């Protein structure tokens, strides 16, 4: 039986950031709603278009973040970054 305790390695910080999640060459506008050095949660109207891997481009920043899709529900997607960041401001 699994525990109902939180399993994240770090606490996520609430944010409201505009971004584009790229699946292959196709980009989808989304909102980042929380972030940690290890991953983030994004909102998108149709999570079924997301596969296993995405490139996350935050509006106003030049460096994308590669991430795996860990979970999806009706309007949100949980992402785990390929490389953790020491500072959540680096997303």
């Amino acid at each position: 039986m699994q525990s109902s305790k939180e399993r994240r390695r770090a606490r996520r910080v609430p944010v409201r950031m505009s971004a584009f999640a790229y699946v292959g060459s196709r980009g989808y506008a989304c909102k980042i709603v929380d972030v940690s050095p290890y991953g983030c949660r994004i909102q998108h109207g149709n999570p079924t278009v997301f596969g296993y891997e995405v490139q996350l481009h935050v509006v106003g920043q030049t460096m994308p973040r590669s991430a795996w899709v860990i979970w999806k529900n009706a309007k949100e997607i949980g992402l785990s970054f390929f490389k953790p960041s020491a500072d959540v401001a680096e997303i």
Side-chain angles (χ1 to χ4, degrees):
M1 176 178 258
Q2 284 197 342
S3 170
S4 62
K5 287 186 177 184
E6 182 66 47
R7 294 182 297 174
R8 290 189 182 99
R9 293 179 276 181
R11 186 172 122 338
R12 288 199 175 169
V13 177
V15 296
R16 292 303 274 174
M17 301 169 81
S18 295
F20 286 89
Y22 285 84
V23 180
S25 62
R26 183 104 193 236
Y28 300 93
C30 61
K31 292 281 185 198
I32 302 171
V33 295
D34 62 28
V35 65
S36 81
Y38 301 98
C40 66
R41 179 170 45 120
I42 64 173
Q43 291 180 334
H44 183 269
N46 185 8
T48 61
V49 299
F50 291 85
Y52 182 67
E53 188 176 314
V54 300
Q55 291 291 317
L56 189 63
H57 294 255
V58 178
V59 172
Q61 296 186 11
T62 57
M63 295 299 297
R65 296 293 309 263
S66 298
W68 289 287
V69 173
I70 300 301
W71 58 266
K72 300 184 233 185
N73 65 27
K75 294 198 185 272
E76 296 180 323
I77 300 123
L79 300 177
S80 176
F81 299 135
F82 284 14
K83 294 181 182 177
S85 172
D87 182 3
V88 295
E90 291 179 8
I91 185 168

